[in-house]
Amino acid sequence: MELTAKERMAIERHGMAEQPPDLRNRNFEEVPYGYTPEEAVAEAQRCLNCKKRQCISGCPVEVPIPEFIALVAEEKFAEAARLIKTKNVLPAICGRVCPQETQCEEVCVRGKKDVTKAVAIGNLERFVADYERENNLMEVPELPDKNGFKIAVIGSGPSGLTVAGDLIQLGYEATIYEAFHLGGGVLVYGIPEFRLPKKIVEKEIGALEDLGVKIYYNSVIGRLYKVDDLFNIMGFNAVYIGVGAGLPIFLNVPGMNLNGVFSANEYLTRSNLMKSYLFPKYRTPMVIGKKVAVLGGGNVAMDSARTALRLGAEKVTIVYRRAREQMPARAAEVHHAEEEKIEFRLLSSPVEIYGNEQGWATGMKCQRYELGEPDESGRQRPVPIENSFFEFDCDQVIVAIGGQANPLITATTPDMKVNKWGYIEVDDWGRTNKEFVYAGGDIVTGAATVISAMGAGRRAAKAIHEDLMKETDETLRPPDEEVE
Ligand SMILES: Cc1cc2nc3c(=O)[nH]c(=O)nc-3n(C[C@H](O)[C@H](O)[C@H](O)COP(=O)(O)OP(=O)(O)OC[C@H]3O[C@@H](n4cnc5c(N)ncnc54)[C@H](O)[C@@H]3O)c2cc1C
């Protein structure tokens, strides 16, 4: 029976059951268990199916949110997943890692006053994608005939996977070159198992391979081939660059070169991609810190801190120079970190890392900050407070203050325009200044989000299609339309 708006309004948001903090802080199993079908239906009934569907414009890939939620309310779970996939090829991933509270849920009418009361769009997306996968209901869509064009994609992160998935469904041959031995980019080397189980990434990449996307692993472009070689030697018609921004940044303070100081990139790659958390089953060693300090306030910092805890740290402290409400991490990750008793030293920044005679980190000296005038990002600028130093002991420091562009591709493609930070310059559709070379994701924007990288991939796929079709209008004209 159809519910009235009043009845829908009366339903409270459904949270997800989770592993309790004192159990999960020592294992790498996923934290939330996911909705039951009954919970999903009840949550879907909260959607008011508004005339002005702001949630769709809050989503960078414009998933038809009210429509998929209506299917959930009717218990048509696999149909809902298939509908999402018309716009988003990685729904089980996005349902887990998108910052919904600043995207679709932020503009949900039910969350206007308090975003935690919005319809749980992310939880529902995750539920239907899991339901479809776990019940073996994933379908391989029918593909059009091949159009004869070959596209090379550099990097198998969310942006590269999206370009390849979109183009193969338009009749192109799509080949991905990936530097690592596994696909997924940050989804496999950055985000830990307890947030995003790797079998889900494997399955979603497997679905793209079933469509015919070819992936060559251990293939570093810039070394194996240059971008121009992909045209001239390999015969590709267009190239998409989606190599991310994984080059670590360190702080310029004394002690950064001590033993026990890691970039978050190395720390998480060792644990996630090289599986050091399963040592000795996997033979990647890891230095286990007892008192760990993590520098930064984004998802990377939360992931590093929570990984350190699970690897056996007795105490983990996050040091962040701004306030809690300015942390760029997803709200759920900050909340989970707090529940797991990670200590937060906010409005604080290190000025020195202390070491012992053997060259190992032993402690940190920090300065306190206060919030001043807004900076160019609109956030209040942190201003150091004079003579406000404090110290604490730590034997491991993980630096998670952001990444930057890896210069390998841009250095070996000198005629491609980059900005002053080394990020590739593109138009709104991902076109670089080089003909038939496109780029998107973090290598264009700097560190951003999974869904924005996917949105960039989607736009570039459209541009590639448009440009190649324009170029070959004559040759592609069906025989019966040919001019006599
Ligand atoms: C630890 C961590 C946690 C995060 N958590 C979240 C989150 O919760 N939610 C969210 O939305 N975003 C999160 N992000 C950000 C998000 O993951 C990125 O914005 C997104 O992955 C960018 O996608 P991409 O495809 O541009 O690049 P990437 O995911 O970085 O993928 C780039 C790929 O290109 C490959 N590559 C690089 N150079 C070459 C080369 N020369 N030849 C061949 N291959 C190459 C790399 O190996 C990699 O596989 C997180 C980031 C990190 C690091």
Side-chain angles (χ1 to χ4, degrees), residues 7 231 233 257 284 296 326 381 407 421 433 482 484:
E7 284 167 333
F231 292 99
I233 301 177
N257 58 351
T284 306
Q326 296 175 316
R381 191 189 299 273
W421 298 283
N433 65 307
E482 259 171 27
E484 293 292 330

Side-chain angles (χ1 to χ4, degrees), residues 170-185:
L170 288 168
Y172 292 82
E173 257 182 51
T175 304
I176 300 180
Y177 291 94
E178 167 55 50
F180 279 139
H181 62 281
L182 277 178

